[in-house]
């Protein structure tokens, strides 16, 4: 009996040893596997924590004007810009041991496993904030063991490479709060109309309950369920020593005010401009479309909201509602090229085609200031005279003929000056000048002004028969307005990534591309379109606007059979307006022919209202101003009945005095004939 007992004991010891040996091997294998997982996680390094976020677009004063998204509102805010009450409420209800574990709460896991075994199904979760963050970033939300294993592995990697504060910030910025709102900032704005930093305890405790089931606990879906869930959260905050009972009770008794809508749900501000900004991000900054749409960028633009609203208002009020005329408008700051307003059409919803930057249209006579700038370099002056008469030009092949005509077939049938030709937009003078300086000269000159569209080397180029873009013409005139400095149309001043790092900042360098003296002489000549003193055989082209403007402007209008233009500027602002039919149909109605001019004048006056009235300042050297008779360009004495103070490139000013008025001293004065009276601003800024 004793022998059998000893034998049984030895057998038990043998089995026990075998069990311990196998257990040690198993434990060793598990340890090796665990260490292997940790090593592999370490080798892989930190997982990227970037998530799709809305790209935000801001105007020049920092106002949010639009966002890029796919129906999901996602904004990232730093942890310090989130209400402490919301942080505490979230930790209290979701993961009270968040700061003490390494990514896994083993007591909760054990409890959840026991509940699952009893129910023979996956019924209870034990995910920590880290695990939930991993799921939000990388995984689907299905309740499977495979997903849980992947979730655990990503949680290990996150805990190994990021601080608790970084994990908590990421979690709060990625969880779903219902109604398309991802993250606390989007949710705070949607539910309460405020930033996440401004949430009260009552609001925070209610919002913290939503992620458990947005369709069930959203206060907009069921205020009763949301309130019950809020009470549970407030009680947990008492248990975890975040608040006391009195504070919790006050929060329970406070009924938050709900907004229930996303700010800026639809893009309302400058849709054509925003499209142009996105194109600039893609083509100039070389960002891909996914980054632009969901990269969480902050794009700071040059848009002036007041000027944009003024542009849209004047277009709407000026163009008849039943007119088929379309419009393109660009307003720029000539000092730096910043685009302040942009309109690409009358209705973005009907036609997103941007006529301000995409359409190529004939500029008509607005090309003439560029032509005459080139002529100043080849001996022309404001007083240079040519005959204005009906003319047929025969080309070098002795076969081709070109017979341009003036508006309404009006000609001086005599000599006129360059200044007068520009003011009344004489086409004969322009073509003669173009042929005199050489057709290739204008083509080279327009490139200097930043115009990239192809130009045809033909006589009619002087009358604007080769197409250009509105934005190019606004940019070209900016170089007159700023004294000859090169500028480029600028839409974006700065771009930040979702972490706030600056990835682009506009910092253009000033570069002289025009001669300052010639640029100023041309600018001063362009004020002539608003000066009735330059009336001769025809009215100046800005005659209809003289009574509507209240400060000095320089500019040029232009028209073709299918296009109507007005481009003008002050030292502070350049604006180019085009009006016409998309299909190139002739503009036949008289009212439609004046749309571009009227929109320009009303827009400039409204945009500059309240701003200092500035004249055009001549350069310190290189120009000289003298009084001339505008009809013949000769020096005018104080006895000359009509004289205009005119600037010339120094050394090219006239030396011969006008004596025409002396020949009429003995004639009787003509009754009812009065000298045109200067507007008040011309009397202040006497040229």
């Amino acid at each position: 009996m004793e022998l059998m007992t000893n034998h049984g004991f030895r057998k038990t010891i043998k089995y026990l040893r075998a069990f311990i040996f196998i257990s040690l091997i198993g434990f060793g294998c598990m340890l090796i596997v665990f260490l292997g997982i940790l090593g592999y996680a370490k080798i892989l390094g930190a997982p990227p924590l970037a998530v799709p976020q809305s790209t935000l677009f801001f105007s020049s004063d920092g106002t949010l004007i639009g966002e890029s998204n796919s129906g999901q509102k996602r904004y990232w805010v730093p942890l310090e810009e989130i209400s402490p009450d919301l942080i505490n409420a979230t930790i209290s209800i979701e993961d009270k041991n968040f700061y003490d574990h390494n990514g896994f709460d083993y007591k909760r896991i054990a409890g959840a496993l026991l509940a699952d075994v009893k129910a023979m199904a996956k019924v209870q979760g034990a995910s920590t904030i880290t695990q939930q963050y991993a799921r939000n970033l990388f995984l689907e939300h299905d309740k499977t063991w495979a997903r849980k294993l992947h979730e655990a592995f990503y949680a290990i990697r996150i805990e190994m490479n990021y601080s608790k504060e970084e994990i908590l910030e990421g979690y709060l910025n990625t969880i779903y709060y219902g109604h398309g709102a991802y993250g606390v900032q989007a949710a705070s704005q949607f539910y309460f109309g405020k930033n996440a930093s401004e949430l009260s305890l009552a609001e925070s405790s209610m919002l913290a309950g939503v992620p458990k089931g947005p369709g069930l606990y959203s206060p907009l879906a069921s205020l009763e369920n949301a309130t019950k869930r809020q009470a549970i959260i407030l009680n947990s905050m008492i248990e975890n020593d975040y608040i006391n009972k009195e504070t919790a009770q006050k929060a329970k008794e406070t009924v938050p005010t709900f907004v229930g809508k996303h700010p800026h749900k639809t893009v309302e501000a400058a849709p054509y401009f925003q499209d142009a900004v996105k194109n600039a991000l893609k083509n100039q900054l070389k960002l891909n479309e996914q980054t632009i749409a969901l990269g969480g960028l902050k794009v700071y633009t040059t848009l002036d909201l007041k000027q944009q609203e003024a542009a849209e208002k004047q277009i709407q009020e000026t163009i008849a509602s039943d007119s088929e005329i379309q419009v393109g408008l660009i307003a720029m700051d000539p000092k730096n090229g910043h685009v302040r307003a942009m309109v690409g059409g009358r209705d973005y919803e009907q036609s997103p085609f941007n006529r301000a930057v995409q359409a190529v249209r004939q500029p008509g006579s607005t090309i003439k200031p560029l032509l005459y700038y080139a002529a100043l370099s080849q001996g022309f002056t404001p007083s240079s005279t040519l005959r204005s008469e009906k003319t047929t030009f025969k080309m070098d092949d002795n076969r081709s003929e070109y017979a341009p005509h003036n508006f309404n077939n009006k000609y001086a049938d005599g000599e006129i000056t360059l200044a007068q030709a520009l003011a009344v937009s004489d086409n004969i003078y322009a073509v003669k000048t173009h042929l005199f300086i050489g057709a290739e000269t204008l083509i080279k000159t327009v490139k200097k002004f930043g115009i990239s569209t192809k130009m045809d080397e033909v006589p009619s180029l002087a009358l604007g028969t080769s197409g250009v873009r509105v934005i190019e013409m606004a940019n070209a005139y900016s170089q007159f307005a700023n004294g000859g400095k090169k500028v480029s149309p600028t839409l974006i001043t700065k771009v930040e990534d979702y972490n706030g790092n600056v990835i682009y900042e506009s910092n253009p360098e000033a570069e002289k591309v025009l001669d300052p003296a010639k640029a100023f002489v041309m600018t001063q000549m362009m004020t002539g379109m608003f000066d009735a003193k330059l009336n001769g055989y025809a009215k100046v082209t800005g005659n209809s606007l003289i009574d509507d403007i209240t400060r000095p402007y320089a500019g040029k209008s232009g028209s073709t059979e299918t296009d109507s233009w007005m481009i003008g500027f002050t030292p502070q602002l350049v604006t180019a307006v085009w009006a016409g039919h998309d299909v190139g149909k002739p503009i036949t109605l008289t009212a439609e022919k004046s749309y571009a001019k009227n929109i320009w004048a009303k827009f400039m006056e409204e945009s500059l209202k309240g701003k200092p009235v500035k004249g055009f300042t001549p350069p310190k050297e290189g120009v000289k101003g003298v009084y001339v008779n505008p009809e013949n360009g000769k020096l005018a004495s104080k006895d000359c009945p009509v004289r205009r103070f005119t600037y010339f490139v120094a050394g090219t000013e006239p030396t011969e005095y006008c004596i025409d008025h002396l020949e009429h001293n003995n004639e009787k004065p003509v009754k009812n004939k009065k000298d045109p009276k200067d507007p008040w601003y011309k009397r202040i800024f006497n040229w």
Side-chain angles (χ1 to χ4, degrees):
M1 186 71 177
E2 183 179 351
L3 183 62
M4 292 179 63
T5 302
N6 289 337
H7 177 73
F9 178 74
R10 286 195 298 272
K11 191 174 182 180
T12 301
I13 293 297
K14 181 180 179 181
Y15 282 124
L16 183 60
R17 286 174 177 172
F19 175 76
I20 292 173
F21 179 73
I22 293 171
S23 297
L24 287 173
I25 291 175
F27 178 76
C29 291
M30 290 177 62
L31 182 61
I32 291 172
V33 170
F34 180 70
L35 292 175
I37 291 173
L38 292 180
Y40 182 55
K42 190 67 176 177
I43 291 171
L44 289 178
L49 301 186
V51 296
Q53 301 172 47
S54 298
T55 288
L56 305 179
F57 299 93
F58 300 91
S59 66
S60 59
D61 65 356
T63 302
L64 181 65
I65 60 173
E67 62 181 295
S68 174
N69 63 78
S70 56
Q72 300 177 357
K73 304 292 181 179
R74 297 177 182 264
Y75 315 116
W76 194 284
V77 289
L79 195 63
E80 56 268 22
E81 293 182 18
I82 300 174
S83 167
D85 288 330
L86 180 58
I87 294 173
N88 295 336
T90 300
I91 292 175
S92 183
I93 195 64
E94 295 291 343
D95 188 0
K96 66 180 182 180
N97 299 316
F98 172 70
Y99 285 106
D100 300 321
H101 61 63
N102 60 356
F104 306 95
D105 190 329
Y106 299 106
K107 290 183 179 179
R108 289 180 66 190
I109 291 174
L113 283 172
L114 184 61
D116 290 349
V117 169
K118 288 182 179 179
M120 297 301 290
K122 187 76 177 68
V123 296
Q124 186 172 319
S127 294
T128 61
I129 282 177
T130 306
Q131 290 174 278
Q132 292 182 56
Y133 186 29
R135 183 194 317 150
N136 291 339
L137 286 174
F138 310 112
L139 305 166
E140 301 295 331
H141 287 247
D142 54 313
K143 293 184 178 182
T144 63
W145 286 108
R147 194 266 296 163
K148 294 294 290 184
L149 291 173
H150 282 93
E151 178 184 293
F153 181 66
Y154 277 115
I156 291 172
R157 291 180 64 192
I158 290 173
E159 286 278 350
M160 289 177 69
N161 293 283
Y162 296 99
S163 68
K164 287 291 186 179
E165 287 72 21
E166 289 174 315
I167 295 169
L168 184 59
E169 178 181 304
Y171 172 76
L172 289 170
N173 277 290
T174 55
I175 52 176
Y176 183 53
Y177 288 93
H179 304 281
Y182 287 80
V184 293
Q185 180 68 359
S188 300
Q189 291 179 344
F190 175 78
Y191 286 107
F192 307 112
K194 59 178 64 175
N195 293 323
S197 60
E198 302 168 332
L199 294 176
S200 66
L201 176 60
E203 294 164 338
S204 296
S205 55
M206 184 162 286
L207 191 59
V210 176
K212 181 177 176 63
L216 186 63
Y217 297 111
S218 162
L220 302 180
S222 172
L223 184 58
E224 181 182 356
N225 290 343
T227 303
K228 290 179 180 178
R229 178 74 175 160
Q230 179 195 41
I232 294 172
I233 292 172
L234 289 169
N235 291 337
S236 76
M237 293 180 73
I238 296 172
E239 294 174 7
N240 295 316
D241 296 326
Y242 286 114
I243 57 175
N244 56 37
K245 290 183 179 180
E246 290 76 16
T247 303
Q249 187 59 38
K250 288 181 181 178
K252 291 177 183 179
E253 294 172 355
T254 302
V255 180
T257 300
F258 302 107
V259 174
K261 65 178 181 179
H262 293 286
H264 309 284
K265 187 174 182 180
T266 58
V267 175
E268 296 180 354
Y272 290 103
F273 178 85
Q274 291 196 46
D275 278 357
V277 168
K278 293 171 188 175
N279 285 331
L281 291 171
K282 179 180 178 181
N283 299 321
Q284 297 175 19
L285 275 62
K286 305 303 179 184
L287 300 178
N288 60 52
E289 292 184 0
Q290 184 175 2
T291 301
I292 295 170
L294 297 171
L297 306 176
K298 290 184 178 179
V299 183
Y300 297 90
T301 75
T302 59
L303 187 77
D304 185 306
L305 277 175
K306 291 183 179 178
Q307 292 186 10
Q308 180 66 30
E309 291 169 1
E312 294 173 356
K313 171 189 172 186
Q314 296 306 331
I315 289 170
Q316 183 179 8
E317 292 181 355
T318 301
I319 301 179
S321 58
D322 59 348
S323 174
E324 296 179 355
I325 289 287
Q326 279 293 351
V327 67
L329 180 148
I330 291 285
M332 290 174 57
D333 184 335
K335 296 188 297 294
N336 49 29
H338 287 185
V339 175
R340 296 306 188 187
M342 176 187 291
V343 179
R346 292 172 61 191
D347 191 327
Y348 180 83
E349 296 297 327
Q350 289 186 3
S351 174
F353 178 71
N354 194 333
R355 296 154 187 87
V357 299
Q358 292 176 284
V360 177
R361 306 299 297 236
Q362 294 182 354
S365 292
T366 59
I367 203 72
K368 290 176 182 176
L370 282 61
L371 168 69
Y372 294 143
Y373 173 84
L376 292 180
S377 299
Q378 298 201 23
F380 280 70
T381 78
S383 289
S384 295
T385 58
L386 292 172
R387 284 189 65 83
S388 168
E389 59 188 357
K390 191 171 183 180
T391 306
T392 299
F393 296 89
K394 292 186 178 181
M395 302 299 104
D396 291 339
D397 56 14
N398 292 321
R399 290 177 294 177
S400 301
E401 293 184 350
Y402 177 53
H405 61 85
N406 283 344
F407 179 70
N408 287 338
N409 286 307
K410 287 186 177 181
Y411 305 90
D413 290 325
E415 301 281 334
I416 61 170
T417 66
L418 171 55
Q420 194 174 37
L422 182 62
V424 301
S425 201
D426 189 280
N427 290 336
I428 305 302
Y429 196 110
V431 175
K432 285 183 176 180
T433 303
H434 178 50
L435 296 177
F436 179 84
I437 65 176
E440 73 285 350
T441 302
L442 180 54
I443 294 176
K444 293 178 182 178
T445 301
V446 298
K447 291 180 180 178
K448 184 182 292 188
F449 279 89
I451 295 175
S452 60
T453 49
K454 186 178 181 298
M455 295 282 164
D456 296 323
E457 193 174 319
V458 293
S460 62
L461 181 60
L463 307 184
T465 54
S466 286
V468 294
R469 295 179 175 87
V470 177
I471 196 167
E472 290 181 318
M473 293 302 290
N475 185 62
Y477 276 57
S478 291
Q479 295 178 188
F480 286 128
N482 66 28
K485 296 176 185 177
K486 180 181 180 179
V487 291
S488 297
T490 301
L491 306 175
I492 302 168
T493 56
K494 185 173 67 172
V495 179
E496 295 177 355
D497 66 13
Y498 73 96
N499 281 323
N501 300 314
V502 177
I503 61 175
Y504 169 80
E505 192 160 12
S506 174
N507 188 24
E509 295 183 3
E511 177 187 354
K512 290 282 186 182
V513 291
L514 304 183
D515 179 86
K518 295 183 180 69
F520 178 75
V521 169
M522 279 307 310
T523 294
Q524 201 250 351
M525 276 201 287
M526 280 190 277
T527 65
M529 74 168 289
F530 306 107
D531 188 352
K533 281 184 179 180
L534 291 176
N535 279 352
Y537 66 93
K539 291 182 179 179
V540 292
T541 53
N543 189 71
S544 63
L545 304 177
I546 291 175
D547 293 336
D548 299 323
I549 57 178
T550 60
R551 61 180 67 217
Y553 292 106
K556 185 72 187 77
S557 60
S559 61
T560 69
E561 187 179 26
T562 58
D563 304 274
S564 177
W565 291 76
M566 179 61 209
I567 311 174
F569 55 93
T570 67
Q572 305 108 306
L573 188 65
V574 175
T575 301
V577 182
W578 165 86
H581 296 283
D582 281 335
V583 294
K585 187 171 66 174
I587 304 174
T588 56
L589 299 178
T590 302
E592 292 180 342
K593 292 179 180 179
S594 63
Y595 281 158
K597 284 183 182 178
N598 292 336
I599 290 169
W600 175 86
K602 293 175 182 176
F603 168 75
M604 291 294 283
E605 286 291 304
E606 185 168 348
S607 294
L608 296 171
K609 187 182 297 181
K611 295 184 179 181
V613 177
K614 292 186 178 182
F616 299 102
T617 305
K620 293 181 180 179
E621 56 184 24
V623 298
K624 184 174 182 179
V626 294
Y627 280 99
V628 300
N629 182 336
E631 291 188 3
N632 56 30
K634 296 178 182 179
L635 290 174
S637 68
K638 62 180 181 180
D639 297 321
C640 219
V642 179
R643 61 182 190 155
R644 189 178 196 262
F645 194 72
T646 304
Y647 279 95
F648 295 79
V649 175
T652 69
E653 65 275 9
T655 57
E656 182 182 356
Y657 274 88
C658 170
I659 59 172
D660 292 356
H661 63 286
L662 299 178
E663 300 174 4
H664 305 290
N665 275 346
N666 295 325
E667 294 182 4
K668 294 181 180 179
V670 180
K671 293 183 179 180
N672 300 324
K673 185 176 181 180
K674 296 181 180 179
D675 288 338
K677 187 177 180 181
D678 281 343
W680 67 267
Y681 63 84
K682 287 187 182 287
R683 296 197 295 274
I684 295 175
F685 295 95
N686 190 347
W687 297 111

